[in-house]
Amino acid sequence: MAHTDLAAVSEVRCELREFLRYRWRAESAEVAELLLSELVTNALIHTRHGAVVTVSVAPAKLRVEVRDFVSGMPLSYVPNADDGTHGRGLILVQSLADAWGVSAHALGKVVWFELNGEKP
């Protein structure tokens, strides 16, 4: 699914929730929703060229990928206390995901995360 505006973030979360309803445990699905919303928001704010979300479920692993269409890797950012909630998306991903990373492509990049677990 491709999206180009921030209003789509809640729609993407809802679609992930529906997709995972009978495929993944509720607690992990909630974490996946949070992390997905952070990555989609980052892609839309920093690229303004839309994003494509891909979700894969295996017996013991959930993988979510957010692809944008602007070259350049995300910059590491350490927020300070005055930033409010700005700049914490990748910190959340790093803290809550079992694995995550960024893959460069000819046009854009994919930021991904994985959660380990078992299906319900």
Side-chain angles (χ1 to χ4, degrees), residues 86-110:
H86 173 73
R88 289 172 172 74
L90 288 180
I91 292 172
L92 279 173
V93 173
Q94 182 178 8
S95 298
L96 298 175
D98 292 304
W100 78 281
V102 182
S103 304
H105 290 265
L107 180 60
K109 63 193 155 295
V110 172

Side-chain angles (χ1 to χ4, degrees), residues 16-66:
L16 179 64
R17 184 179 315 122
E18 288 300 313
F19 177 76
L20 295 178
R21 178 174 288 178
Y22 301 109
R23 293 177 175 94
W24 207 252
R25 293 183 332 233
E27 301 84 23
S28 293
E30 290 172 4
V31 171
E33 280 185 58
L34 171 64
L35 300 184
L36 171 64
S37 65
E38 294 296 334
L39 294 185
V40 169
T41 299
N42 282 352
L44 297 179
I45 287 174
H46 297 293
T47 70
R48 297 191 174 126
H49 286 82
V52 175
V53 174
T54 304
V55 179
S56 307
V57 178
K61 189 174 291 186
L62 169 68
R63 182 178 175 101
V64 176
E65 300 178 347
V66 177

